[in-house]
Amino acid sequence: MTNPSDLEQLAEIELQKEEEEDEEEQRAVPDGPSRTDPSHPYYDVARHGIIQVSGDDNYGRKLIVFSSCCLPPSHQLNHRRLLEYLKFTLDQYVEMDYILVYFHYGLRSSNKPSLGWLREAYGEFDRKYKKNLKTLYVVHPTNFIRIAWNIFKPLISHKFGKKLKYVNYLAELREHLNYDQLFIPADVLRHDEKLRAAQKGGPPPPVKTPPPRPPLPTQQFGVSLQYIREKNREAIIPPVIAQTVAYLKEKGLRTEGIFRRSVRVQTIKEVQKLYNQGKPVNFDLYHDVHVAAVILKTFLRELPEPLLTFRVYSQVLELLGVESSLRATRCKQIVESLPEHNFIVLKFLLCFLNMVSQESLSNKMSASNLACVFGVNLVWPRHGSISLSALTPINIFTEILVEHFAAVFGSRCPPAQVGL
């Protein structure tokens, strides 16, 4: 049996080899530090952009990204603070199902935390962090990763070990994640291109991006609100939203953790296929209210333009600069500036979420918790992904919409609105 200290030495040697092979790439200009509010409690760590929250995966689970290439040299970063910041970030999401994506490229002798630090980190992440972690994707794994895994294997439970998935090329992530919203550093993109170009003697890595096909007349997911309206007899509220909300009002208002839980991937695909083919969906057949909850989030996330529109994104981010007592008024102004159709659908949805929040003693879903789940599914930027620093204003904005629903939506009543 290999001695642990020998494995650690072997890991160091492998890392140095990888550095030599990647020396030319390492000279590339790194991404600039992320724009982070200097008042952030972990500004000293957060400003480097090491950890990002990138919306949800294809099945409603929060995506948290750790990028090694953003780690500064060890003497410039307190790794204890890094661990605390990671826990601070995860604490906002561990009560719901979540995914971790680890971009390994860019880890060097000069910036890597010690293996002792990694042991300490694993020890500090107790069951509450591990229970709802659904998958840990390790992107661009190397021999260093595999050796490090052998070092930690005695400490890691079999159940946790099954959550680890190696991803050799970025294209493989498209099968599982909302790739376009994923925060991927430029260095990682360049490294992936180099790996793909260097691949010889075998088929190219799979790329699940077939040319776009015209949507079906009955298509419900991945098409615009206008398209759905035109193909559904001018229905103002899209059928997926109307049906999931009706079902959840009847069966799910008191369900603990509603909107926080994921369901089987295959089940979600089946329901989406039924909707897209114009076939009826009976949620009772699945014996799980979380199916309807995930379908609702998935529908919102797959809209080509967010329900709140791209135009509103910058206005939402500016909310932090508004005095607390005036924020509800500002949110009302933003919402009332939306196109009429978007406003009506948003009002219908938020009326329901307000009802959910009123049952928070039973379902544990306060306005704040609902905001964490729905915020990133209601608004996102036209280009790139939502940065970690953008989450705070997005969540505050959404929380105000839920908690102060009557005040925000009360006065604008377009003649076309239905049953709100």
Side-chain angles (χ1 to χ4, degrees):
M1 186 174 172
T2 310
N3 188 299
S5 62
D6 292 340
L7 281 173
E8 290 190 24
Q9 186 177 1
L10 189 57
E12 289 291 343
I13 292 168
E14 285 297 329
L15 191 60
Q16 287 168 15
K17 277 187 197 173
E18 290 160 19
E19 286 177 42
E20 290 167 9
E21 291 169 5
D22 291 332
E23 188 174 355
E24 189 175 328
E25 277 183 276
Q26 305 272 347
R27 293 197 189 104
V29 178
D31 297 335
S34 63
R35 288 183 294 173
T36 304
D37 184 351
S39 65
H40 191 290
Y42 290 94
Y43 176 75
D44 55 319
V45 183
R47 66 193 180 93
H48 296 292
I50 303 161
I51 299 165
Q52 298 283 348
V53 179
S54 292
D56 295 355
D57 75 347
N58 288 344
Y59 308 103
R61 299 171 290 200
K62 200 63 64 181
L63 273 175
I64 299 170
V65 175
F66 187 105
S67 301
S68 291
C69 66
C70 295
L71 284 166
S74 295
H75 67 276
Q76 295 178 14
L77 180 69
N78 182 328
H79 287 146
R80 179 70 213 174
R81 289 276 292 168
L82 173 62
L83 177 56
E84 290 172 2
Y85 175 50
L86 181 56
K87 290 174 72 174
F88 170 81
T89 303
L90 291 177
D91 279 341
Q92 301 172 60
Y93 305 107
V94 293
E95 294 302 321
M96 61 185 88
D97 296 340
Y98 71 101
I99 302 286
L100 279 177
V101 179
Y102 168 66
F103 290 123
H104 177 61
Y105 176 73
L107 191 73
R108 307 182 283 278
S109 299
S110 60
N111 70 355
K112 80 169 183 64
S114 68
L115 291 172
W117 179 88
L118 291 172
R119 282 197 197 92
E120 180 188 359
Y122 184 80
E124 288 205 17
F125 286 111
D126 56 25
R127 185 174 180 273
K128 81 169 183 177
Y129 296 98
K130 296 167 188 170
K131 182 181 71 165
N132 288 332
L133 171 65
K134 294 305 171 186
T135 313
L136 167 58
Y137 292 103
V138 176
V139 182
H140 300 140
T142 61
N143 284 338
F144 170 82
I145 285 287
R146 293 178 175 92
I147 294 167
W149 179 255
N150 282 326
I151 294 171
F152 286 96
K153 214 169 183 179
L155 305 175
I156 295 172
S157 70
H158 175 68
K159 189 174 180 181
F160 185 83
K162 288 169 67 176
K163 299 179 180 185
L164 176 73
K165 292 194 187 310
Y166 289 137
V167 176
N168 294 312
Y169 301 96
L170 291 174
E172 296 170 27
L173 287 175
R174 290 185 185 274
E175 298 179 45
H176 311 286
L177 313 177
N178 193 340
Y179 185 86
D180 294 331
Q181 287 193 16
L182 194 63
F183 179 85
I184 304 176
D187 280 357
V188 173
L189 290 168
R190 283 190 289 265
H191 179 65
D192 191 73
E193 288 172 8
K194 179 187 173 187
L195 290 178
R196 291 175 62 83
Q199 191 193 40
K200 295 175 183 176
V207 180
K208 299 287 184 177
T209 50
R213 292 180 296 177
L216 296 167
T218 52
Q219 190 91 12
Q220 301 295 316
F221 289 84
V223 291
S224 68
L225 291 178
Q226 184 60 32
Y227 184 90
I228 295 170
R229 181 174 179 175
E230 289 172 358
K231 303 296 183 183
N232 290 271
R233 300 178 183 176
E234 294 298 311
I236 302 292
I237 306 301
V240 174
I241 294 182
Q243 291 166 20
T244 52
V245 166
Y247 181 80
L248 291 167
K249 276 183 182 179
E250 183 183 351
K251 304 284 178 71
L253 282 182
R254 292 176 168 269
T255 300
E256 184 171 336
I258 193 69
F259 296 116
R260 276 183 164 170
R261 296 286 171 257
S262 59
V263 298
R264 285 179 61 247
V265 169
Q266 194 56 40
T267 301
I268 299 305
K269 288 182 177 178
E270 287 172 10
V271 175
Q272 285 186 286
K273 186 176 180 181
L274 288 172
Y275 268 120
N276 286 337
Q277 292 178 344
K279 296 179 179 177
V281 174
N282 182 355
F283 287 110
D284 283 328
L285 297 178
Y286 299 96
H287 307 291
D288 183 358
V289 295
H290 297 293
V291 173
V294 172
I295 285 293
L296 175 57
K297 290 190 296 179
T298 303
F299 174 84
L300 294 169
R301 189 167 52 255
E302 292 192 4
L303 286 170
E305 181 173 14
L307 184 55
L308 280 163
T309 73
F310 292 124
R311 181 183 57 80
V312 158
Y313 182 73
S314 60
Q315 297 174 36
V316 171
L317 298 197
E318 292 166 0
L319 193 63
L320 286 180
V322 177
E323 189 178 327
S324 297
S325 61
L326 301 176
R327 284 177 180 172
T329 302
R330 179 59 186 141
C331 290
K332 180 180 174 68
Q333 292 170 346
I334 293 172
V335 163
E336 290 186 344
S337 73
L338 291 172
E340 182 174 308
H341 192 184
N342 295 67
F343 176 85
I344 294 170
V345 176
L346 183 70
K347 183 176 181 180
F348 181 87
L349 176 66
L350 267 296
C351 179
F352 166 62
L353 295 182
N354 177 263
M355 290 175 63
V356 174
S357 71
Q358 290 175 21
E359 300 289 346
S360 61
L361 284 178
S362 301
N363 61 34
K364 312 299 183 190
M365 294 303 289
S366 63
S368 175
N369 289 338
L370 287 167
C372 286
V373 173
F374 275 91
V376 293
N377 293 318
L378 293 176
V379 65
W380 57 82
R382 187 182 298 274
H383 304 294
S385 60
I386 295 174
S387 67
L388 190 56
S389 59
L391 281 178
T392 298
I394 289 173
N395 289 349
I396 289 173
F397 176 81
T398 311
E399 183 177 353
I400 290 171
L401 298 194
V402 175
E403 189 168 354
H404 302 284
F405 169 78
V408 172
F409 291 91
S411 62
R412 176 175 164 178
C413 297
Q417 67 177 292
V418 290
L420 300 182

